[in-house]
């Protein structure tokens, strides 16, 4: 079964797994890099890594329009309910749950998580998705480098998404080390070039990463890749 990945710019991702459409951190309408409108986003599930505006983005409106289930940590799932989102599922760090698209586990991330209205968004998270045919995708989330990333290497991660933008998250050097620790087959850099402050040379980073034996894919916003 193939997995279709679309990068919407910043940390916003579309994943098509087994016929299910997942959208991660749908920061679209205010995202200078986005190439589509929030009304054009299709979703069965919306995954939110943390409360910051550039991750919650258009999640509330997309969830209300599509009826997609919003999955996040407990605090953000409660906040989503208060915004009128009917279909939510709260999990928390270390916890896995079986969803129609596969199993989703929440992982730690070193970052903040304040929601746009100032509500405490709990601890920020990353996601490990295990598909029905046992393929593993690790969305690291907004985070600094931490050595526990190497714990996930033993799972055999096929595809990892890592931030490289620096300033708010890991920069290229630490993201390179993160790739060494996670040792995925494929990696896609995200959370860069949205604004001047997080401008990075992703191609140069990818060249270095490829020498580790990890295939780096630099996507343009709106571009898709099928694995
Ligand atoms: Ni953030
Ligand atoms: Mn962010």
């Amino acid at each position: 079964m193939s997995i279709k990945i679309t990068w919407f710019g910043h940390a916003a991702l579309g994943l098509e797994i087994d016929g299910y459409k997942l959208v991660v951190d749908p920061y679209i309408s205010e995202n200078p890099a986005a190439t589509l409108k929030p009304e054009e986003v299709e979703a069965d599930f919306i995954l939110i890594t943390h409360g910051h505006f550039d991750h919650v983005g258009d999640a509330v409106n997309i969830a209300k329009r599509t009826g997609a289930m919003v999955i996040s940590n407990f605090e953000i799932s409660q906040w989503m309910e208060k915004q009128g989102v009917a279909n939510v599922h709260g999990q928390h760090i270390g916890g896995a749950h079986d969803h129609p698209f596969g199993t989703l586990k929440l992982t730690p991330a070193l970052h903040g998580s304040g929601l746009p209205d100032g509500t405490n968004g709990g601890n920020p998270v990353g996601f490990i998705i295990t598909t029905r045919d046992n393929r593993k995708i690790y969305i690291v989330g907004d985070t600094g480098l931490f050595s526990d990333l190497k714990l996930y290497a033993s799972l055999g991660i096929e595809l990892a998404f890592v931030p490289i933008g620096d300033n708010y998250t890991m920069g290229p050097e630490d993201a390179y080390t993160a790739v060494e620790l996670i040792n995925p087959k494929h990696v896609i850099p995200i959370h860069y070039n949205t604004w001047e402050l997080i401008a990075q040379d992703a191609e140069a980073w990818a060249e270095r990463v490829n020498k580790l034996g990890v295939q780096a894919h630099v996507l343009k916003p709106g571009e898709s890749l099928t694995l």
Side-chain angles (χ1 to χ4, degrees), residues 140-154:
V140 173
D142 276 19
T143 186
L145 181 63
F146 58 103
S147 62
D148 283 0
L149 289 169
K150 70 176 177 291
L151 292 173
Y152 304 118
S154 64

Side-chain angles (χ1 to χ4, degrees), residues 7 13 160 188 221:
W7 187 45
L13 304 168
I188 297 178

Side-chain angles (χ1 to χ4, degrees), residues 10 49-55 111-113 124 142-143 168-169 191:
H10 201 54
T49 59
H50 64 290
H52 290 160
F53 74 95
D54 58 320
H55 298 262
H111 196 66
S113 185
D142 276 19
T143 186
Y168 302 113
T169 66
H191 213 282

